[in-house]
Amino acid sequence: MIPADVPDEPPLTYADSFDIPVLFRNGPAKKPRRQWRTAKHKAWAGSDGFPAADGWYAPTTTWREIIKAATEVGRDVTPHLQNQPRYAHGELVARVSPLYAYLGAHPVEPRHPVPGAKGRRLTWNPVYAHGTERSAKNAAGYRLGMTMTEWACRSLLGLGQTEHLELGGPIPALLNTFKDPKKKLPDLWGRHEAEELYWLIEAKGGDVGLGTLRKGWAQLAAGSNVLGAYAHRTVLVGASVRPGDDLFLTIDHDLHPGQPPLTPAGSDTDDETAGPGNLEDHLGDSDDALIGAARAQMLAYLALRSAPASQLRTVPVPADRASRHRRSGLTTPLEDDGLTLAMRADARGAATGAEQHTLRAGIRSMGLDDFLSCRIPGTEVHLGMSRRLFAACERLHEEDLAIARRTPGLRAEDQPAAELELSDEAQEEQRLTQRRIFREQQEEARPRLRPLLRDAYERGGASDWSDLLRRPQEPELDLEGDEGLLEAATPETYLAVSRHDLPPARA
C-alpha cells in the first residue's frame, strides 16, 4: 500500500521543463553516491558532439522532447503494419505509456545550483515505487533506457537518426556479421556528421548498477570489433533512477580512430547527407535525408492516415522552416515562439466569417502552413506533420507495400501452418529475419526512390489535405488553439502534450 503521507493530488499545470543531471566519463564505474545532487554541475551550453571535458552537467529539457524521443526510438515495426496501419496507434501507445504511467517530477534544491535550471527533476512515482511488480518494472526500465538514450544522443549531442543494430550496421560488407544472432551487440547505431564518426550505442535503464554497465560495455566492445578499422565512438547511456531519487544519466564513451565513414549504402555521392541532429533541416538539398526522415516518421504517418476524419485537425505554423532549425534539442516549443503567436493572432483577426477553404488560402498568403494532427488514442500526445512530408511518407508506404507483395515469405499468411507452432524465441527470430529481408529490399530500392520521393515532397506542398487524404472534405483548421496543450514543432513535424497530464510535481 502507498504510505498515507504521500498526498493524493491531481497533476499540476506548469510548463513542462525538467533538469536532467548527466555525468560524462570514459568508462563504467560505480554508481555515483548522490552526486546528481551534491556535485558541482556545469551549465550545458549546447553541443554538436561531446563536451570538451568529462564531468557533471545539468541540461534542461522539455517533456515534449522526451516524448518525441520515445516515439522515434527502437526497432522499425512498420514492415508488419503494411495492411493494418491502425495498429500504428498501438505501437505509439506502447512507447509512451510507461513514461506517463511511472514517471513523476519533484522539486529539487541541489547543493550547487546551475544558472537557468528549473529546479525540477524526474523520478519514479509512488505507483512504481509501491505497487508495481518486477516484470513491469523491467519493462519500464527498458523503455526509459531507450528513450533517454535517444534523447541524449540526438537532442543533446547532435547525432543523426538512430537505427536498430539488429537489422545490420553501417558498413554493407559487415551486415552479416552485425546480424549474427550469437553475438551480443549494442542496441543502436548512428552517424554523427559534425564528428564524422559512426556511433555504436547501448541503452540501459532502471536502477542501473556497475554490473549492468559492464555488460553494456562488453556489448559495445563486440560491436567495436566488428567495425574494426572504421573511426567510431562507443556510447553507453545508463538512465538511472530509484524511487525518491532524481533521474540522472551516465554517459560512458570511448573514441576509436580509424578510416572515415563511408557514404551511406546506396546513396548518391553528390548528395550531402544531413548535418547534426535533425534530418528535417536538410530535406531541401538531400534526397537521402528525405528518405530517412520519411522512414523515421512512418509510424506517425500511419497513425494519421488511419485516423477517423473526426479526429483530424490542422494547426497553423510558420511556413519558414528556418525558424524551427535545431538550436537546443530537436523541437521548438510554440508557446514562447513570438513569430508563431503573432502570425496566429493575425490569422484569427482575418478569419471572421470566412469559409474554411478561403481561410486556408488566406493563412498561406500570410506565411503560415497548416500541419495535419491527431491525438494518439489512449494517450495525451498529439502528433502531426506537414503536407510535404506526408506526401513523401505516402509514396514511401506505397513502395513498401509493393516490396511486401512481391517478396515471398514476408506475410504471415505465407508461413506454413507447422511454423505457426514455433516457440516464442523461434518466432522472434523469424520476425527478425523478415524485417531484415524487408530492409535489404528497401535499401536496394534507394536509387529508384530518390526521384519518386522528391517529386512527392515537392507536389505535396501545393496539394490540398483532402487530396492527400483522399477524402472529400478538408480537416478542420484550428485557429483558436487549445490552451490545455503545450505545442512544439520541427521543420516538418508537430507534437503536443496535455498540460494537465504531465508528471505531477510531487511524486
Side-chain angles (χ1 to χ4, degrees):
M1 182 178 296
I2 297 176
D5 61 346
V6 176
D8 184 20
E9 295 180 327
L12 303 182
T13 298
Y14 51 82
D16 67 331
S17 296
F18 312 94
D19 306 318
I20 308 288
V22 180
L23 173 61
F24 290 90
R25 55 192 186 181
N26 61 7
K30 291 182 179 180
K31 185 181 296 183
R33 294 179 179 271
R34 291 187 66 79
Q35 291 176 11
W36 54 89
R37 288 275 182 94
T38 61
K40 188 172 183 178
H41 290 49
K42 303 180 185 73
W44 186 258
S47 173
D48 282 335
F50 273 75
D54 284 345
W56 281 101
Y57 292 82
T60 297
T61 192
T62 64
W63 187 243
R64 283 162 282 184
E65 196 81 10
I66 292 171
I67 293 300
K68 183 168 182 63
T71 62
E72 295 183 5
V73 69
R75 64 174 38 161
D76 180 10
V77 302
T78 56
H80 301 296
L81 303 177
Q82 297 303 313
N83 296 314
Q84 291 84 19
R86 286 188 177 89
Y87 286 98
H89 295 99
E91 177 64 20
L92 288 165
V93 171
R95 294 184 179 196
V96 304
S97 59
L99 307 179
Y100 274 98
Y102 296 127
L103 282 178
H106 58 187
V108 168
E109 294 184 11
R111 184 173 299 175
H112 303 284
V114 174
K118 299 298 180 180
R120 192 165 50 243
R121 296 180 182 175
L122 294 170
T123 187
W124 291 128
N125 66 22
V127 174
Y128 178 96
H130 302 284
T132 303
E133 60 180 326
R134 181 182 301 175
S135 57
K137 288 183 176 180
N138 290 339
Y142 166 79
R143 181 51 55 190
L144 178 70
M146 292 294 284
T147 297
M148 297 312 299
T149 296
E150 179 83 351
W151 170 80
C153 290
R154 300 201 63 219
S155 295
L156 205 62
L157 299 173
L159 183 68
Q161 195 69 44
T162 61
E163 296 190 39
H164 212 289
L165 199 59
E166 68 178 13
L167 298 181
I171 310 298
L174 302 176
L175 288 184
N176 290 333
T177 308
F178 272 115
K179 292 186 295 188
D180 185 347
K182 297 178 182 178
K183 293 182 181 293
K184 290 189 177 297
L185 298 173
D187 292 313
L188 306 167
W189 74 272
R191 175 172 165 150
H192 199 291
E193 296 300 323
E195 288 197 340
E196 297 185 343
L197 293 172
Y198 298 121
W199 282 17
L200 296 178
I201 308 155
E202 174 62 18
K204 300 296 183 186
D207 188 4
V208 181
L210 179 57
T212 299
L213 292 177
R214 282 176 172 166
K215 290 178 182 177
W217 201 247
Q219 290 171 256
L220 286 166
S224 184
N225 287 337
V226 175
L227 261 184
Y230 292 96
H232 61 280
R233 187 186 287 277
T234 49
V235 181
L236 173 61
V237 180
S240 188
V241 60
R242 290 182 296 185
D245 280 335
D246 311 337
L247 169 65
F248 69 95
L249 304 187
T250 55
I251 300 183
D252 302 313
H253 59 100
D254 195 10
L255 188 61
H256 303 264
Q259 300 176 27
L262 300 178
T263 302
S267 67
D268 184 347
T269 56
D270 294 329
D271 182 16
E272 293 295 328
T273 52
N278 197 356
L279 294 173
E280 296 170 36
D281 293 344
H282 303 269
L283 299 191
D285 52 22
S286 171
D287 292 340
D288 288 303
L290 178 57
I291 293 173
R295 289 215 188 287
Q297 297 303 322
M298 191 56 69
L299 265 182
Y301 161 78
L302 293 175
L304 290 166
R305 161 60 70 196
S306 60
S310 60
Q311 295 179 8
L312 294 173
R313 67 187 183 113
T314 64
V315 293
V317 294
D320 178 15
R321 267 60 178 171
S323 67
R324 298 188 297 281
H325 280 187
R326 182 179 191 270
R327 294 187 295 273
S328 61
L330 298 179
T331 63
T332 299
L334 297 185
E335 71 272 12
D336 297 322
D337 185 62
L339 176 63
T340 299
L341 296 177
M343 295 182 78
R344 284 180 171 182
D346 290 344
R348 285 193 295 272
T352 306
E355 296 182 355
Q356 284 275 314
H357 181 76
T358 304
L359 184 55
R360 254 179 237 281
I363 70 163
R364 296 183 81 170
S365 68
M366 298 169 62
L368 284 167
D369 198 355
D370 58 324
F371 283 20
L372 185 69
S373 172
C374 76
R375 181 178 67 82
I376 305 304
T379 76
E380 291 302 322
V381 176
H382 299 245
L383 297 179
M385 66 180 65
S386 69
R387 288 179 176 83
R388 298 193 301 187
L389 186 55
F390 187 94
C393 288
E394 173 84 357
R395 192 70 181 91
L396 186 60
H397 180 56
E398 292 172 356
E399 294 297 317
D400 285 350
L401 273 173
I403 290 174
R405 289 167 181 152
R406 69 171 180 263
T407 306
L410 286 186
R411 301 179 303 167
E413 54 265 36
D414 292 334
Q415 306 303 318
E419 294 186 15
L420 298 179
E421 303 302 321
L422 294 174
S423 67
D424 288 347
E425 184 176 344
Q427 289 185 49
E428 175 61 20
E429 182 63 29
Q430 186 180 81
R431 286 190 288 268
L432 175 56
T433 299
Q434 292 170 348
R435 287 194 296 274
R436 287 171 175 169
I437 293 171
F438 205 95
R439 174 54 60 88
E440 289 166 2
Q441 296 283 323
Q442 289 175 324
E443 288 306 308
E444 287 181 9
R446 181 182 289 268
R448 186 174 54 82
L449 286 179
R450 281 197 205 93
L452 296 178
L453 262 66
R454 177 60 57 188
D455 179 65
Y457 179 76
E458 299 298 342
R459 285 189 294 105
S463 300
D464 291 333
W465 278 115
S466 57
D467 295 331
L468 293 172
L469 292 167
R470 301 172 190 172
R471 295 174 179 176
Q473 291 185 333
E474 293 273 291
E476 179 185 356
L477 173 60
D478 183 6
L479 286 180
E480 295 301 321
D482 183 345
E483 291 185 356
L485 290 182
L486 289 165
E487 301 173 284
T490 69
E492 303 291 343
T493 70
Y494 172 87
L495 182 145
V497 298
S498 170
R499 292 178 185 266
H500 306 292
D501 287 282
L502 294 169
R506 294 182 182 87

